[in-house]
Amino acid sequence: MEKILYLECESGISGDMTVGALLDLGADRTVLKKALDSLPVTGFHTEISRVKKSGLDACDFSVVLDAEHENHDHDMEYLYGHTHPGQDHEPVQEHELVQDHEHMQEHGHAHSHGHVHSHGHTHACGHSHEHRGLWEILDMIRRADMTDHARSLAEKIFRILGAAEAKAHGVPEEQVHFHEVGAVDSIVDIVSAAVCLDSLGISKVILPRLCEGQGTVRCQHGIIPVPVPAVVNIASAYGLSLHVTEVQGELVTPTGAAIAAAIRTGTRLPEDFVIEKVGLGAGKRSYERPGILRAMLITPAGGGAETDRVCRLETNIDDCTGEALGHVMDKLFLAGARDVHYTPVFMKKNRPAYQLNVICSREDREKLEEIIFSETTTIGIRRMEMERTVLKRECRRINTSLGEAGIKTCTLPNGTKRVYPEYRDVVLLSEKNTLPYQEAYAIIKAEAERSIAKEGEE
C-alpha cells in the first residue's frame, strides 16, 4: 500500500523538527542508531525526548555537540534562536541516547550556513574550527550504513543545500564549505531524515506551503534578511510555496527547505482523506506560533483518485540518431522520469524529426533537463506544470498456479479494483509453463482478482 505523508509546515520546518515528526510517526530508532553510528563524524551525540510545545506533546530530536565543536563564531541569537520568558520547551521525561560520542551541554539547534574560505582559518574568538566541503560530506554519506534509497535521498538533500549556498555566495559548488559545527549538525539531521523516511516506507509527500517569518537575523557574515538567502534560492529552484507570517524571526532553515525540496512529490491533498497516524516534531525556538512540525500518514477516502502536479518537458530534435535517442530514454527513466515518449513530427523545410516528451516531478526537472541537453543536440527545452488525476494504486506479489507474479492494483473512484499483471513476470511464467503470453496473462489476472475479492470478504 502506498504511504502518503502530509507535512503541515504552519510553523516552518527545520532538520530536527522533521526528524522528530518522523520518529513520532514510528520510524525505526534502531535503524537510525545504526546509520548514525556508522558516520565517520565525531564530537556529537543525539538525544530523543518528549517535550511540551504550547501544551502539546511532541517528539524532540537534538544533535548535541561537544565543547570542542561547540560553535563560538555565530551570533548567539541567530544560532540558538529567540528565547522569551515562559519558553514552552519543557522536557517531560528522560532523554533517550541514540548515539553517544562525546557529551556537551545542549544549547540549541545549530544553523549551517556555507561560505567560502581557506582551511585552517582561525576565528576572532580564538577557536579554530575545521571546515568540510560538499564533496567531502557526500563521501561521508556514501560510507554510512544505510539503504541505497536512504543514501540517495541524503545525498540529494545535501546537493540541494550546497547548490543554494553556492548561488548565495556566487561561487562554484566545490568552493562552498561548511563550518565544522554546522556541517556536523546538518549531516546528522539530513542523514536522520533520510533514514527515517526510508524506514517508514514513504512513497509520496504532500507539502502545500512553507510558512516563514520576517525581519532579519545575524550570522557570521553579518545581518541578513528572512527568508535567508539559501532558503530563497531553494524555494526559487524547486517551486516551494512560501507564506510570510507576522512572526519576527526565522521559521524555515536552509536544511529544512532542502529536505522539503528533496522529498515533496505534490502540493495538493486528496479532496477527502483518512488520517492513519500523526507525528509532532518539536523545534528549539519559541515564537508566537507553536514550534512544531505536524506530519500525518494519510489515505485518500474511499480509495478513489487523487490530484497532484507534474512537470512536462518537450523538445523537437531533427539531427540525432535513433541509437542516441534510445539511450536518452533509458537515462531519463533511470534519473526518475515518470514517463518518456517520442512523437514523429515534421519541422521547418519539411525535415522529419522527433518530439521528446518527458513527464516528471518538479524537483527532478533540472536534473532531467541537464540529461537532455548533454545527451541530445537540442538547444532549447519547453516546460510546463500540469495537474493530473491519478488512481490509487498498489504493487504486490501473489502466488498463482503458474508461480509467483507481481501485480498492480488500481482503485477507481467508485471503489472498483482493476488488476494488471506485471509484463516481465507474465513473460517468464508463460515460458516456464510453455503457455502463450495471452493465456498466461489471463490466468494470472483471474487468480489475482479472485484473491483480492476473497480478501475483501474477510
Side-chain angles (χ1 to χ4, degrees), residues 1-36:
M1 181 72 68
E2 276 193 326
K3 286 192 175 181
I4 303 175
L5 176 67
Y6 166 40
L7 288 180
E8 186 183 72
C9 305
E10 294 300 304
S11 296
I13 185 172
S14 65
D16 57 344
M17 292 168 73
T18 304
V19 178
L22 296 175
L23 288 170
D24 209 26
L25 281 177
D28 194 321
R29 299 187 183 190
T30 302
V31 172
L32 175 59
K33 181 181 185 303
K34 183 179 178 182
L36 295 183

Side-chain angles (χ1 to χ4, degrees), residues 194-232:
V195 170
C196 288
L197 277 162
D198 181 67
S199 165
L200 290 169
I202 303 298
S203 54
K204 290 184 179 180
V205 179
I206 307 298
L207 201 160
R209 68 178 186 176
L210 301 179
C211 287
E212 175 62 296
Q214 54 182 291
T216 59
V217 291
R218 184 183 298 277
C219 71
Q220 186 206 20
H221 305 287
I223 295 175
I224 57 177
V226 175
V228 297
V231 170
V232 170

Side-chain angles (χ1 to χ4, degrees), residues 112 133-142 150-168 171-174 176 178 186-187 190-191 194 230 233-234 237-238 254-255 257-259 261-262 363-364 366-367 370:
S112 171
L134 176 61
W135 310 120
E136 181 184 357
I137 293 172
L138 292 177
D139 181 64
M140 292 178 178
I141 293 173
R142 294 183 186 116
R151 183 177 296 106
S152 175
L153 180 55
E155 290 181 9
K156 181 178 181 181
I157 296 169
F158 239 115
R159 285 181 184 276
I160 292 172
L161 184 59
E165 294 289 3
K167 183 175 181 180
V171 298
E173 289 181 30
E174 58 268 19
V176 172
F178 295 84
S186 290
I187 290 170
I190 288 172
V191 167
N233 291 338
I234 292 171
Y238 291 88
T255 298
I259 291 172
E363 57 266 27
D364 287 335
E366 187 173 353
K367 174 176 59 177
E370 289 178 1

Side-chain angles (χ1 to χ4, degrees), residues 232-253:
V232 170
N233 291 338
I234 292 171
S236 174
Y238 291 88
L240 298 178
S241 177
L242 290 178
H243 174 69
V244 177
T245 69
E246 72 288 349
V247 172
Q248 293 295 314
E250 180 187 33
L251 299 181
V252 179
T253 69

